[in-house]
Amino acid sequence: IYDASGEGGLAAGLEVGHRHKTIAEISEEFERARAKEAQQRMEAKLNFRGSYGFSFSAAHLVDAEIAQRRRYVAYKRGAKLSSGLDLNGMDFNSVFDVPLASVLDDRATGYVGAQGQMSRGMGAGGLILGMRVAASEHTGWELATVLGSNQSAATLATTRQLSEHTAGNLTYSYSDAQGGLGLAVGLERALFDEHTKGCLNWNVGPTSGMSTGVARTKGRNSWKFDLSVGPASTGIAGFFARRWSKKTSFRFGFRAGTTAIDVDFGGTRRVGSDSAVGMSVSVGIRGVHLKLRFNHSGQRFSFPVLISPYQRLTPAIVMCALAVPWTIVAAVDRYLVSPAVAKKEATAKAKLRERHRERVKAAKTEAAEAAEMLRRDTEKRTEKERSVNGLVVEEAVFGNFPERGVPRRGEPIVSGWGSGGDDDAWVDVTAALRFQVFDSSLDMIEGLDKAGMLGFCDPCPGEEKFLRVRYRYRGAMCEVTVGENDALALPNRSHLLPDEWNNSD
């Protein structure tokens, strides 16, 4: 029994067999899944991760007085100056996991790494050795040591799930830098719902201090607020971030306390399945910094560039630091990056569609035959809905097509609608959706395999697919676009098109 949406599917008459995938389709999906699983197993076994920071200064390129002072210092030292940025310092921390299943237990994982810092010709480093053990379903502990010339330290941390919504942690530490033994206690709890969490941490000693915070992530928005009190640091910090699209997000952060006062404006954009680039501008008591970031498969690279120290700040420098980088990024993205990416994606799509041309052609033919089989019942249901001024699907398309905003009156549902060409990366599914209308409603559950539904097919294997429906309800024209695996519920007031679509003149 084909049942797309529970009992409603049966009531709608969807008593036909589910379309089965061909051997070629199954084989291709299996090979993709096997390659992805092999990559995930390898990455999970090593879990190579690290952070690398390179601090630069461009203040001498902005301020003539700083440039003159820089030349004088170089002259006194007999040093040769570079014409570009100055490297002020660098730091790194890199670790990879070592499975210990064959040596100790499959619940134990060791890790090895290194860390180091360098600033103004002086530096230090250390070897990192550690082990994590899942002692039980609710308890785990971790032992870590850092062996170095002047930064040796050791920590022993244990975590436990205290209840369904609360977890606790206890950390013992030792290092010469902190003056001997240290102890820290923490709690983390889900507050109002699964999207909001709060934490409370107490650093018992040797330098005491307390901190608390709350964080929330839901939908496109996320935010965090922290408060810390202690002799080492007292202040507040937080951020608000919003995801504008699947690839782009923006962030505003702030800090105000005894160690720092600044605000930070930035954005991040994904450039691949495992990579992202970001940029932000920070203004505070440490000056104006331009921060560039690049993340790839667990490796994080940051490049903070000092534009001007706090003592030399002027309104003009602040305005330029906030406006110029974003203007350059927008121009580069619009005139260089976006065209290059679009060209690369178009070439890849063309090759993919050529490879699947014959299969897609056969699938479209099969979908058209299924729609024709449903034609008699579809016409009856559509006429019934029109007679009661109910839900009438005017046009529907499934596949890959460009995104767009609110359509103008008379604009086709997709470019090329009505041509019915075999090269289109979409298929007309109007009849298939009309058949699923029952009592002036149409519902599809989340995760439903739309490409396998009767009257549907996969018109563009390997590409992102959408379902766009243009329908009329109570005489008003509506339109909605959802993803391949998204839920769909018709009618809905949020789908209404502008009044110009409903004017008879």
Side-chain angles (χ1 to χ4, degrees):
I1 301 298
Y2 177 83
D3 183 6
S5 47
E7 295 181 359
L10 295 176
L14 304 182
E15 300 154 356
V16 293
H18 193 289
R19 174 187 176 274
H20 295 286
K21 296 181 179 179
T22 65
I23 296 297
E25 290 175 328
I26 295 174
S27 299
E28 184 173 350
E29 287 186 2
F30 175 75
E31 291 299 328
R32 286 201 302 265
R34 187 169 66 173
K36 185 176 181 179
E37 184 179 352
Q39 181 180 359
Q40 290 176 342
R41 283 200 306 266
M42 181 186 68
E43 292 177 351
K45 186 177 292 185
L46 294 178
N47 192 20
F48 187 61
R49 57 202 182 276
S51 60
Y52 313 87
F54 301 86
S55 177
F56 294 92
S57 174
H60 58 281
L61 303 177
V62 178
D63 193 310
E65 184 174 332
I66 294 178
Q68 182 178 1
R69 189 187 312 150
R70 175 174 172 264
R71 288 192 296 269
Y72 175 76
V73 172
Y75 171 76
K76 296 290 289 184
R77 295 179 178 178
K80 186 176 180 180
L81 291 176
S82 65
S83 58
L85 302 178
D86 289 341
L87 178 62
N88 288 341
M90 60 177 292
D91 61 86
F92 71 92
N93 186 306
S94 182
V95 177
F96 66 90
D97 289 346
V98 180
L100 301 177
S102 59
V103 180
L104 295 176
D105 190 280
D106 57 0
R107 297 175 300 177
T109 302
Y111 54 88
V112 180
Q115 68 178 29
Q117 307 87 30
M118 185 277 291
S119 178
R120 302 185 183 278
M122 300 179 64
L127 173 67
I128 301 174
L129 298 173
M131 181 173 65
R132 293 187 300 271
V133 177
S136 68
E137 182 181 356
H138 303 291
T139 305
W141 59 267
E142 179 176 355
L143 174 65
T145 61
V146 178
L147 306 176
S149 56
N150 59 357
Q151 55 179 353
S152 296
T155 60
L156 173 62
T158 179
T159 59
R160 181 170 177 80
Q161 192 71 31
L162 303 177
S163 67
E164 181 182 358
H165 303 292
T166 306
N169 61 79
L170 183 68
T171 304
Y172 297 94
S173 62
Y174 175 84
S175 73
D176 293 333
Q178 71 178 14
L181 290 171
L183 174 63
V185 183
L187 287 174
E188 184 176 292
R189 178 176 174 81
L191 297 180
F192 315 112
D193 52 33
E194 60 183 358
H195 306 290
T196 308
K197 292 183 178 181
C199 65
L200 176 64
N201 298 292
W202 177 27
N203 190 12
V204 181
T207 303
S208 62
M210 295 192 70
S211 64
T212 184
V214 59
R216 180 176 176 84
T217 300
K218 184 178 181 181
R220 293 174 175 265
N221 300 327
S222 62
W223 57 265
K224 184 178 182 182
F225 180 82
D226 293 316
L227 169 66
S228 60
V229 178
S233 175
T234 298
I236 59 175
F239 72 84
F240 173 81
R242 178 172 176 83
R243 178 169 51 84
W244 288 100
S245 67
K246 291 184 178 181
K247 294 184 178 181
T248 305
S249 61
F250 292 91
R251 182 182 184 276
F252 166 74
F254 67 91
R255 294 184 299 174
T258 56
T259 58
I261 299 176
D262 56 37
V263 293
D264 186 273
F265 307 86
T268 302
R269 181 175 178 83
R270 294 185 60 183
V271 293
S273 58
D274 301 315
S275 303
V277 294
M279 184 184 76
S280 63
V281 176
S282 173
V283 181
I285 60 174
R286 297 181 180 179
V288 176
H289 288 80
L290 174 66
K291 302 177 182 179
L292 307 176
R293 298 182 302 276
F294 174 70
N295 301 339
H296 178 73
S297 298
Q299 308 301 307
R300 302 188 303 271
F301 298 85
S302 62
F303 307 90
V305 181
L306 174 65
I307 303 299
S308 176
Y310 173 75
Q311 297 82 355
R312 304 291 298 174
L313 279 184
T314 64
I317 291 178
V318 174
M319 293 300 297
C320 288
L322 293 174
V324 172
W326 295 108
T327 303
I328 295 175
V329 168
V332 170
D333 179 70
R334 179 171 181 176
Y335 297 108
L336 294 178
V337 177
S338 292
V341 171
K343 183 178 179 180
K344 182 179 179 180
E345 290 180 349
T347 302
K349 282 185 179 180
K351 292 181 179 179
L352 193 63
R353 292 176 184 177
E354 181 63 29
R355 193 171 108 195
H356 296 292
R357 179 186 295 273
E358 295 302 321
R359 184 202 301 180
V360 169
K361 184 177 180 180
K364 285 186 175 182
T365 301
E366 183 180 342
E369 292 174 351
E372 180 63 24
M373 181 180 66
L374 302 174
R375 182 172 60 84
R376 181 179 298 179
D377 288 336
T378 297
E379 290 177 351
K380 290 181 180 179
R381 297 184 186 199
T382 302
E383 288 304 318
K384 178 182 177 181
E385 292 294 329
R386 289 191 191 278
S387 66
V388 298
N389 204 20
L391 174 63
V392 178
V393 177
E394 300 290 356
E395 297 168 344
V397 60
F398 177 72
N400 183 274
F401 39 81
E403 296 183 21
R404 61 163 167 74
V406 178
R408 299 184 300 273
R409 183 178 181 180
E411 183 178 347
I413 188 170
V414 291
S415 178
W417 177 256
S419 63
D422 292 334
D423 293 334
D424 293 328
W426 47 264
V427 60
D428 183 351
V429 294
T430 306
L433 286 192
R434 284 177 174 176
F435 184 73
Q436 296 189 39
V437 175
F438 182 71
D439 283 346
S440 295
S441 66
L442 190 157
D443 296 284
M444 292 184 181
I445 60 175
E446 184 177 359
L448 177 66
D449 179 19
K450 295 183 178 65
M453 294 168 56
L454 188 68
F456 281 65
C457 70
D458 188 348
C460 48
E463 299 181 41
E464 188 175 16
K465 286 170 277 290
F466 303 91
L467 172 62
R468 180 173 292 166
V469 186
R470 184 173 290 176
Y471 64 95
R472 191 178 294 275
Y473 181 71
R474 299 288 187 258
M477 190 68 78
C478 309
E479 184 178 290
V480 61
T481 303
V482 297
E484 179 181 9
N485 298 311
D486 294 341
L488 176 66
L490 306 181
N492 192 307
R493 292 185 59 85
S494 64
H495 303 162
L496 280 172
L497 289 175
D499 292 339
E500 61 178 294
W501 280 87
N502 303 304
N503 294 333
S504 57
D505 52 355

